[in-house]
Amino acid sequence: MADFLVMTVDKGTADAGYKKGDIVEVFPDGRLQPQPADVPFVLIRVPGMAVNTALHGTWQLYLDYTVVASNALGKRIKVSSKIARSSDNLGGITKAKIQTFLDNHGATVFSFAPNEVVFDIANADIQPLKDALREKLDGKFVRRRLYRVPNAAVNAALANGGIMTYTQAQALTYLTRKTD
C-alpha cells in the first residue's frame, strides 16, 4: 500500500509553495497515521500500489538553482536537489555525468557537495546551457511533485477524519498532472 500525504490548504507562494491537493510525499503502507485537524495534510491510501510505482508516477526530481555570484563576465550558479541519494551525485545524477555535461556546455565546476554542484559559466553560455537542459530533460525535472489530487478527494478525506482509501483504479483516475 502507498500512503500519499496531500496538502489541504494553499501554502507559500505560487512559485515556491504548495496548493491544496498537491502530493507532498509518498510513504509505505501504514507508516503515517491520520493527521491532527490543525495539520494541513490528509492521507490518501491506495492498497496494492507499491511505493516505487507511486513515486515513479508522482515524483519528478526537484532541482533548484541559486545565482551565488555574478560579474560582467558570468555567473557562479549552485544547483541542488532535495532528494538525498549519495554524496557522489545530484539527486541520482552522477558526478561524472554532471561534469561531462557542464564541460560540454562551457561551464567549469567549482565544487561538488552532497546533492549540489556549484559551477561558473560565462554570460554568453548561459542561454545555450538552458536550451540544452530543456531539450535533455524534456519536463523530467520540475520544482515539486508532478501530480496532484482534486479538491473533492481532499475534502472527502477531511470529512472522513483526515484519511481516505481508494483502489488503484480510483487513485489513477484522481491523479491529475499539474500544469504549472
Side-chain angles (χ1 to χ4, degrees), residues 17-112:
Y18 290 98
K19 295 193 183 316
K20 181 178 180 177
D22 282 357
I23 297 168
V24 177
E25 190 59 81
V26 180
F27 294 97
D29 153 18
R31 182 165 170 200
L32 295 178
Q33 297 304 313
Q35 303 294 302
D38 62 338
V39 176
F41 305 105
V42 293
L43 292 179
I44 305 291
R45 289 200 161 142
V46 185
M49 180 179 279
V51 172
N52 286 344
T53 301
L55 287 172
H56 179 71
T58 63
W59 178 257
Q60 297 298 321
L61 180 61
Y62 180 111
L63 287 180
D64 200 8
Y65 75 94
T66 305
V67 176
V68 178
S70 178
N71 64 30
L73 300 175
K75 294 183 177 15
R76 176 163 289 167
I77 299 172
K78 177 174 82 170
V79 178
S80 58
S81 171
K82 300 263 183 184
I83 301 177
R85 299 289 172 113
S86 78
S87 62
D88 195 36
N89 65 50
L90 176 64
I93 305 170
T94 66
K95 186 189 277 189
K97 285 183 181 178
I98 293 167
Q99 181 78 51
T100 300
F101 182 81
L102 291 174
D103 287 348
N104 289 340
H105 290 88
T108 305
V109 173
F110 178 75
S111 67
F112 280 102

Side-chain angles (χ1 to χ4, degrees), residues 130-147:
K130 284 182 180 179
D131 293 342
L133 282 169
R134 191 172 295 114
E135 181 180 324
K136 184 168 185 67
L137 302 177
D138 190 30
K140 293 178 184 165
F141 295 82
V142 295
R143 297 185 139 257
R144 53 187 182 264
R145 298 223 179 250
L146 186 61
Y147 290 88

Side-chain angles (χ1 to χ4, degrees), residues 4 23 44-49 148-150 152-153 156 164-176:
F4 294 82
I23 297 168
I44 305 291
R45 289 200 161 142
V46 185
M49 180 179 279
R148 63 179 318 281
V149 297
M164 282 298 288
T165 301
Y166 295 106
T167 66
Q168 285 188 58
Q170 288 171 317
L172 292 174
T173 63
Y174 277 132
L175 290 175
T176 56

